[in-house]
Amino acid sequence: MKYRYVCLLSSLVITGGLSLAQTNQTQVKEDFKVSSTTQPGKQYPQVNSEGRVRTSILAPQAQRVQIDIGAVKYDLVKDEKGVWTGESAPQDEGFHYYQLNIDGASVPDPGSLYFYGASRAGSGIEIPAKDQDFYAVKNVPHGHLREIHYFSKTTNSVRRIYVYTPPDYDKSGKKKYPVLYLQHGMGEDETGWGNQGRTGFIMDNLIAEGKALPFIIVMENGSVNFGGGARPPRPAQGAPGQAPAAAPAQAAGQPGAAGGQGAQRPGAQGPGAGMNFAGQFQSILFDDLIPFIESNFRVMADQKHRALAGLSMGGMQTRSITTANPGKFSYIGMFSGGTMTPADVKDMDTFKKNVKLVFMSFGSKEGGAARLQAAADEWNKTGIKGVTYVSTGTAHEWQTWRRSLYQFAQLLFK
Amino acid sequence: MKYRYVCLLSSLVITGGLSLAQTNQTQVKEDFKVSSTTQPGKQYPQVNSEGRVRTSILAPQAQRVQIDIGAVKYDLVKDEKGVWTGESAPQDEGFHYYQLNIDGASVPDPGSLYFYGASRAGSGIEIPAKDQDFYAVKNVPHGHLREIHYFSKTTNSVRRIYVYTPPDYDKSGKKKYPVLYLQHGMGEDETGWGNQGRTGFIMDNLIAEGKALPFIIVMENGSVNFGGGARPPRPAQGAPGQAPAAAPAQAAGQPGAAGGQGAQRPGAQGPGAGMNFAGQFQSILFDDLIPFIESNFRVMADQKHRALAGLSMGGMQTRSITTANPGKFSYIGMFSGGTMTPADVKDMDTFKKNVKLVFMSFGSKEGGAARLQAAADEWNKTGIKGVTYVSTGTAHEWQTWRRSLYQFAQLLFK
């Protein structure tokens, strides 16, 4: 067993000085349960009632194994069988991206389900939330989350979108529906709202309780402005839209962001004032996506029955597009994407005639929350309804955005 | 740098005797390209024209890094920056599960997209195939792959299914469609045919070329008989059907099968003569799924317009269910699931009146291929059409099953 001590020692020497690891020697509550985002049949990751994430992995020859969550790395401890086990500090309720670090390699936890975000497909963990009932899987009528491919002239490629159709859609004959176009954040893609966002379950439950009207939700990939391009979904070599953009910084297989919140968090001004938040995505939206949806689904194809919302980068895109195109959308939502005010609008006369609602939200742990009410007040002065929402105890993460959608959806098309 | 040599040495001492690693010092063709199953923006994994898989990962403190594919582990080599790079021997064309091994830990490759199979969500790689055109993403009308949740009385839980509706479904008014129920293999789930199976693209292309009639395809989770249960899809704590079954052998976060083919390969008699291949899945199919589909989609709800097929375990389930229920299905498909003959049927009179086609296939690298024709001959003698297909140069893997579906679909409901 001598090699273990030698390697452990050298490992400590190498990494000790740079370590960000925390240890949790104290009072870890031993009521861990297998997480809802753990793969079926796997025993780890687990979460306890404090919101700590514990995982475990066999790595007999490893010198150091860590769980990396919320931009902090926590050391796991090795037992005599070579199994490393350990846990994080308590995390906010809701969903978080995370990863493991094995002797310097950042990899997904083989026990977790995988989600696309933080510029990579990788591990995610669900911390049970007090209000989890609103996105729970219930025995109510369920809508369909449809994966669809369509041809975009803007990108000259076949693109993947997701479309949520409400539970009554297939049986309602000639009935037409309003449409919400709903965008993800930076480093995420068109799968985000349907997977970690739990959009289908939020809507199914709201509709079952009579709290929201049934409407269609359309989710595209808005990362086209930033080199993200379309994620090849079920790809084939040589097929249209299949060439992944090279990203030299990621050449060693490292995700652009360690599994935390950092990469997606816009600063006070958003990541890069001067970045084009409408750009190619606006062309896709206006020239390709809306026409495709309006000719392939039974939708009310007018401005009164069209909404645009997004989280973070998607919120900034929403602001850019709606303020520059006052005749396109009636309902506007920005979730953790900053604020918008009448000063952002080019043609206020047209905007006032058309826009019914500007909804803005943040997590209470985000700085932007403090600026919401003043912005809403400005809208209310103009006669356009300004509504704000602050998600208690959450940061720039999906629990904030699930709750924002839950609030926003109840205000739409009424 | 002393620690490296110490650890490398001890690593070799420990693992040297047990190593399955191969080295590829010779003639690796340097025409590697980023794979279609590589994550967008990532540079690895790559595949060359020989079918070798090369990957690369930063792991500065690791002692040994391997790529584990096709039940063989290949050593990667470390450079001065701590980046490990290396490649496998040539692989068969088509799709393969694989994983990385870092100092004894089996983990997904952080550069690849992830797929559910081999009893885990993990890495998959696409080796370009000569015939890849039939499942390529093309600018043709696309059907919808719908993720749907429905309540099963049999399992007393909300279950996830996928339903492919053909391109014309939403615009064809009152037109009704035949239905194929299509099952995955052991260690896989209801996502397999839609993801790695590329069912939607195979059907879209066949329909666009007029080679197949449009029909609906329904994909459920058939692992219920083996403790696999329903994979919690977009799970919520406390929701129905959310309790993952404990699997002690996987307690350390290891997948049940290393990323090869072994775990799913049935023996000559299938994995366990005496296992119940109908069982609870048959109850779900007859009591819950077929009634749900027939009351929620525009389908021709009779035996003449209903088909059942599956791969491997799904093929064995197909044999068990169709031979015991001769009045339920008209078209039967077994892909790498063994053979069936008239001797398997309990009530041959009813069977002969109802069944139009028994289709059986294998990859040419599977032993079962040799037994196909004799079984088909027996069907043809009874007046029921027996059709066989052998996929050239492939084993018990998805390229065999994609090709089988492509062949089978052209024979259905005609």
Side-chain angles (χ1 to χ4, degrees):
Chain A
M1 305 307 270
K2 197 175 170 191
Y3 67 93
R4 280 196 187 136
Y5 300 118
V6 174
C7 291
L8 183 63
L9 184 66
S10 53
S11 163
L12 292 172
V13 171
I14 311 157
T15 58
L18 303 167
S19 175
L20 298 170
Q22 294 188 358
T23 49
N24 290 293
Q25 308 287 359
T26 53
Q27 291 113 342
V28 172
K29 210 166 170 185
E30 282 302 333
D31 58 356
F32 285 90
K33 289 183 186 146
V34 171
S35 167
S36 64
T37 47
T38 299
Q39 291 186 25
K42 302 284 179 76
Q43 290 291 70
Y44 290 94
Q46 301 182 350
V47 177
N48 77 355
S49 60
E50 300 170 286
R52 293 183 198 270
V53 181
R54 172 177 286 173
T55 197
S56 182
I57 183 168
L58 177 71
Q61 285 85 47
Q63 304 167 66
R64 189 176 205 186
V65 180
Q66 297 173 304
I67 177 171
D68 175 359
I69 183 167
V72 178
K73 296 187 178 93
Y74 304 88
D75 283 329
L76 275 55
V77 176
K78 188 178 172 179
D79 72 10
E80 70 284 358
K81 291 173 184 156
V83 176
W84 297 73
T85 305
E87 58 278 323
S88 73
Q91 303 293 308
D92 290 345
E93 57 185 5
F95 177 89
H96 309 281
Y97 301 118
Y98 78 103
Q99 60 189 359
L100 300 186
N101 193 289
I102 302 174
D103 288 346
S106 294
V107 293
D109 184 339
S112 82
L113 295 175
Y114 304 128
F115 304 86
Y116 197 83
S119 299
R120 95 292 184 248
S123 292
I125 187 88
E126 187 74 38
I127 311 293
K130 285 181 293 295
D131 56 348
Q132 65 189 14
D133 186 68
F134 80 84
Y135 50 85
V137 185
K138 298 181 187 177
N139 185 9
V140 296
H142 291 280
H144 296 179
L145 185 65
R146 306 182 187 204
E147 178 181 290
I148 302 175
H149 292 79
Y150 80 111
F151 184 77
S152 159
K153 282 173 292 187
T154 303
T155 61
N156 191 32
S157 66
V158 175
R159 296 174 61 82
R160 181 177 66 177
I161 54 172
Y162 288 87
V163 175
Y164 168 83
T165 52
D168 67 347
Y169 183 84
D170 281 280
K171 288 189 161 179
S172 59
K174 294 188 183 303
K175 181 182 169 184
K176 295 188 169 186
Y177 294 77
V179 185
L180 164 63
Y181 295 84
L182 184 61
Q183 290 305 122
H184 57 84
M186 188 172 285
E188 295 169 338
D189 70 7
E190 67 277 17
T191 64
W193 274 109
N195 281 334
Q196 54 269 44
R198 300 183 70 84
T199 293
F201 299 120
I202 292 170
M203 292 306 302
D204 293 344
N205 293 338
L206 277 173
I207 293 167
E209 294 175 28
K211 290 181 176 169
L213 295 176
F215 54 84
I216 289 169
I217 302 180
V218 178
M219 294 154 276
E220 240 281 16
N221 187 324
S223 297
V224 286
N225 297 352
F226 311 101
R231 180 171 169 236
R234 308 171 178 284
Q237 293 80 0
Q242 294 302 323
Q250 301 176 343
Q254 296 305 297
Q261 316 158 13
Q264 306 164 243
R265 179 177 297 167
Q269 300 297 319
M275 273 180 122
N276 183 354
F277 287 110
Q280 195 181 40
F281 175 65
Q282 181 175 302
S283 303
I284 292 171
L285 182 65
F286 288 169
D287 302 339
D288 304 322
L289 183 61
I290 292 176
F292 175 81
I293 294 298
E294 295 186 349
S295 65
N296 285 280
F297 288 86
R298 301 194 317 276
V299 303
M300 295 159 148
D302 59 3
Q303 184 260 0
K304 280 198 170 66
H305 300 96
R306 203 184 289 132
L308 181 61
L311 74 90
S312 192
M313 176 186 84
M316 299 177 211
Q317 291 174 318
T318 297
R319 179 177 52 206
S320 295
I321 292 170
T322 56
T323 53
N325 300 275
K328 280 284 191 181
F329 301 93
S330 274
Y331 300 83
I332 296 167
M334 295 182 73
F335 312 154
S336 302
T339 51
M340 61 187 272
T341 67
D344 294 314
V345 179
K346 269 119 207 155
D347 175 359
M348 202 48 201
D349 286 342
T350 311
F351 200 84
K352 272 166 74 170
K353 255 187 289 182
N354 290 316
V355 175
K356 296 258 179 69
L357 171 71
V358 175
F359 176 97
M360 295 169 288
S361 69
F362 271 108
S364 68
K365 295 187 172 183
E366 299 186 89
R371 296 190 298 276
L372 286 175
Q373 198 50 53
D377 289 346
E378 290 198 53
W379 288 112
N380 286 318
K381 271 182 231 161
T382 70
I384 294 172
K385 196 173 171 185
V387 174
T388 66
Y389 171 72
V390 175
S391 165
T392 305
T394 62
H396 198 74
E397 295 201 78
W398 277 97
Q399 193 68 3
T400 301
W401 307 323
R402 292 169 177 168
R403 288 172 177 168
S404 296
L405 176 62
Y406 177 78
Q407 297 295 329
F408 183 60
Q410 298 182 53
L411 304 173
L412 292 186
F413 311 117
K414 284 182 172 172
Chain B
M1 306 307 268
K2 198 176 172 191
Y3 68 94
R4 280 195 189 138
Y5 300 117
V6 174
C7 293
L8 183 62
L9 184 65
S10 53
S11 164
L12 291 172
V13 171
I14 311 157
T15 59
L18 302 167
S19 177
L20 296 169
Q22 293 189 359
T23 50
N24 290 294
Q25 308 288 358
T26 53
Q27 293 111 341
V28 172
K29 210 166 170 185
E30 283 301 332
D31 59 355
F32 286 89
K33 288 182 186 147
V34 171
S35 168
S36 64
T37 47
T38 300
Q39 291 186 25
K42 301 283 178 79
Q43 291 290 70
Y44 290 94
Q46 300 182 351
V47 177
N48 77 354
S49 60
E50 301 170 284
R52 292 184 199 270
V53 181
R54 173 177 285 174
T55 197
S56 183
I57 183 169
L58 177 70
Q61 284 86 47
Q63 304 167 65
R64 189 176 206 186
V65 180
Q66 297 172 306
I67 177 170
D68 175 359
I69 183 167
V72 178
K73 296 187 177 95
Y74 304 87
D75 282 328
L76 276 56
V77 176
K78 188 177 172 180
D79 72 10
E80 69 285 355
K81 289 174 185 157
V83 176
W84 297 75
T85 306
E87 58 280 321
S88 74
Q91 304 294 308
D92 289 344
E93 56 186 5
F95 177 90
H96 309 281
Y97 301 117
Y98 78 103
Q99 60 189 0
L100 300 185
N101 193 289
I102 302 175
D103 288 346
S106 294
V107 293
D109 184 340
S112 83
L113 294 177
Y114 304 128
F115 304 86
Y116 196 82
S119 300
R120 94 295 183 247
S123 291
I125 186 87
E126 187 73 38
I127 311 292
K130 286 182 293 295
D131 57 348
Q132 65 188 15
D133 187 67
F134 80 84
Y135 50 85
V137 185
K138 297 182 186 176
N139 186 10
V140 296
H142 291 280
H144 297 180
L145 186 64
R146 305 181 186 203
E147 178 182 289
I148 303 176
H149 291 80
Y150 80 112
F151 183 77
S152 159
K153 282 173 291 185
T154 304
T155 61
N156 191 32
S157 65
V158 175
R159 293 174 63 81
R160 181 176 66 176
I161 55 173
Y162 287 87
V163 175
Y164 169 82
T165 53
D168 67 347
Y169 184 84
D170 281 281
K171 287 188 162 181
S172 59
K174 292 188 186 301
K175 181 180 169 185
K176 294 187 170 185
Y177 294 78
V179 185
L180 164 63
Y181 294 84
L182 184 61
Q183 290 305 120
H184 57 84
M186 190 174 285
E188 296 169 337
D189 70 6
E190 68 276 18
T191 65
W193 274 108
N195 281 333
Q196 54 269 45
R198 300 183 70 85
T199 293
F201 300 120
I202 293 171
M203 293 305 305
D204 293 344
N205 293 338
L206 278 173
I207 293 166
E209 293 174 29
K211 290 182 178 169
L213 295 177
F215 53 85
I216 289 170
I217 301 180
V218 178
M219 294 153 277
E220 239 282 14
N221 186 325
S223 297
V224 285
N225 298 352
F226 310 102
R231 179 169 171 240
R234 308 171 177 282
Q237 294 80 359
Q242 294 302 324
Q250 299 177 342
Q254 295 305 297
Q261 313 158 13
Q264 305 164 244
R265 179 176 298 166
Q269 300 298 320
M275 272 180 121
N276 183 355
F277 286 110
Q280 193 180 44
F281 175 64
Q282 181 176 301
S283 303
I284 291 170
L285 183 64
F286 287 171
D287 302 338
D288 303 323
L289 183 61
I290 293 177
F292 175 81
I293 295 297
E294 295 187 348
S295 64
N296 285 279
F297 288 87
R298 300 194 317 275
V299 303
M300 294 158 150
D302 59 4
Q303 185 261 1
K304 278 197 170 70
H305 300 95
R306 203 184 289 133
L308 181 62
L311 74 90
S312 193
M313 177 186 82
M316 299 177 211
Q317 291 174 318
T318 298
R319 178 177 52 205
S320 295
I321 292 169
T322 56
T323 53
N325 300 276
K328 281 284 191 181
F329 301 94
S330 275
Y331 300 83
I332 296 167
M334 294 181 74
F335 312 155
S336 302
T339 51
M340 62 187 270
T341 67
D344 294 315
V345 178
K346 269 118 207 159
D347 175 1
M348 201 49 197
D349 286 343
T350 311
F351 200 84
K352 272 166 73 170
K353 254 186 291 182
N354 290 315
V355 175
K356 298 260 180 66
L357 172 72
V358 175
F359 176 97
M360 294 169 288
S361 70
F362 271 109
S364 68
K365 296 187 172 183
E366 298 187 271
R371 296 191 300 276
L372 286 176
Q373 197 51 53
D377 290 344
E378 289 198 53
W379 288 112
N380 286 317
K381 272 182 233 161
T382 70
I384 294 171
K385 196 173 173 184
V387 174
T388 66
Y389 172 72
V390 175
S391 165
T392 304
T394 62
H396 197 74
E397 295 201 77
W398 276 98
Q399 193 68 3
T400 301
W401 308 322
R402 292 169 177 169
R403 288 172 177 169
S404 296
L405 176 63
Y406 177 78
Q407 298 294 329
F408 183 61
Q410 299 182 53
L411 305 173
L412 293 186
F413 312 117
K414 284 181 173 173

